[in-house]
Amino acid sequence: SYEVTQPPSVSVSPGQTARITCSADALPKQYAFWYQQKPGQAPVMMIYKDTERPSGIPERFSGSSSGTTVTLTISGVQAEDEADYYCQSADSSGTYGVFGGGTKLTVL
Amino acid sequence: QVQLQQWGAGLLKTSETLSLTCAVYGGSFSDDYWSWIRQPPGKGLEWIGEINHSGSTNYNPSLKSRVTISVDTSKNQFSLKLSSVTAADTAVYYCARVPGAGIAVDGVDYWGQGTLVTVSS
């Protein structure tokens, strides 16, 4: 089955920059999307189509892409950014969606 | 503003069929894809499948043999059926909107409130 790989955890101090990576073979030709999920809540889209930010999402959240890896960058991390972050993409044919395993961001 | 309201049985026995329905309020039902996503307790998200207003579907290959997603355009509703459930199907199930051309192109922008479905023997 097609896999999307994320690190299980990332830790960062407040005000620092957090980078969460996501790797998959088809990322050069399939978009990536990033979601933030806090305990007991539904996920929220933070980045779509690799680099685009939905309205209402703070500018400190940004996305980038390079080959088979995409990266979610959170600049000037705040305590409220502590959450699980999921990368989502699609298989090489664009037929079905796949989520990464999620990354727990801890703000120290 | 789009709202998704979902309902269905929350407790099932092994081998029964899971059935959930999601009603869509606001937006344009015929313009988008409508998806089901699940999350086992303490674990990550898993995409189940999607459907558009004309009934065109895409399914997760790992679940395809047991999943049926259907649509009722007269009520702006879509439904999920998952057959032969086991404890491994215990999860929070979300309905969701995928604007435009489907999960590969547009991602998920609106989510339902989630329904915990527990499968016991």
Side-chain angles (χ1 to χ4, degrees):
Chain A
S1 62
Y2 185 68
E3 292 189 354
V4 175
T5 302
Q6 302 178 231
S9 63
V10 168
S11 298
V12 65
S13 299
Q16 299 300 304
T17 297
R19 294 180 179 86
I20 301 173
T21 59
C22 170
S23 299
D25 289 343
L27 280 174
K29 59 178 180 178
Q30 297 295 341
Y31 287 124
F33 305 83
W34 289 96
Y35 304 89
Q36 177 194 71
Q37 187 181 35
K38 296 183 178 180
Q41 299 181 17
V44 174
M45 181 185 283
M46 308 303 283
I47 296 290
Y48 67 98
K49 295 185 179 181
D50 296 345
T51 61
E52 303 298 314
R53 191 172 52 248
S55 61
I57 301 303
E59 291 184 6
R60 65 180 182 274
F61 290 88
S62 64
S64 61
S65 176
S66 179
T68 59
T69 299
V70 294
T71 302
L72 173 69
T73 299
I74 311 171
S75 304
V77 167
Q78 300 181 6
E80 67 195 50
D81 298 331
E82 185 164 285
D84 293 324
Y85 290 85
Y86 292 92
C87 173
Q88 176 249 304
S89 188
D91 70 301
S92 57
S93 64
T95 302
Y96 62 90
V98 183
F99 285 95
T103 299
K104 182 175 181 58
L105 176 68
T106 299
V107 181
L108 300 171
Chain B
Q1 185 75 359
V2 176
Q3 293 186 356
L4 294 89
Q5 185 172 354
Q6 59 184 100
W7 65 90
L11 182 61
L12 296 174
K13 295 186 183 300
T14 301
S15 80
E16 291 184 335
T17 295
L18 179 157
S19 182
L20 297 173
T21 298
C22 184
V24 179
Y25 302 96
S28 178
F29 191 78
S30 61
D31 288 347
D32 303 315
Y33 269 80
W34 305 95
S35 190
W36 290 97
I37 295 159
R38 70 179 183 179
Q39 185 171 35
K43 296 188 179 180
L45 300 167
E46 181 178 31
W47 183 78
I48 299 171
E50 65 186 358
I51 192 167
N52 68 6
H53 73 284
S54 64
S56 177
T57 54
N58 293 303
Y59 294 129
N60 186 326
S62 68
L63 297 169
K64 187 173 184 177
S65 63
R66 298 193 292 131
V67 172
T68 302
I69 297 177
S70 59
V71 66
D72 184 341
T73 55
S74 67
K75 296 180 180 179
N76 282 8
Q77 294 177 0
F78 62 107
S79 299
L80 168 70
K81 291 189 183 301
L82 179 66
S83 63
S84 303
V85 298
T86 70
D89 295 310
T90 294
V92 174
Y93 286 75
Y94 293 99
C95 62
R97 186 182 87 157
V98 180
I103 193 75
V105 179
D106 290 295
V108 176
D109 62 352
Y110 286 98
W111 300 71
Q113 78 274 21
T115 299
L116 174 61
V117 177
T118 302
V119 181
S120 69
S121 56

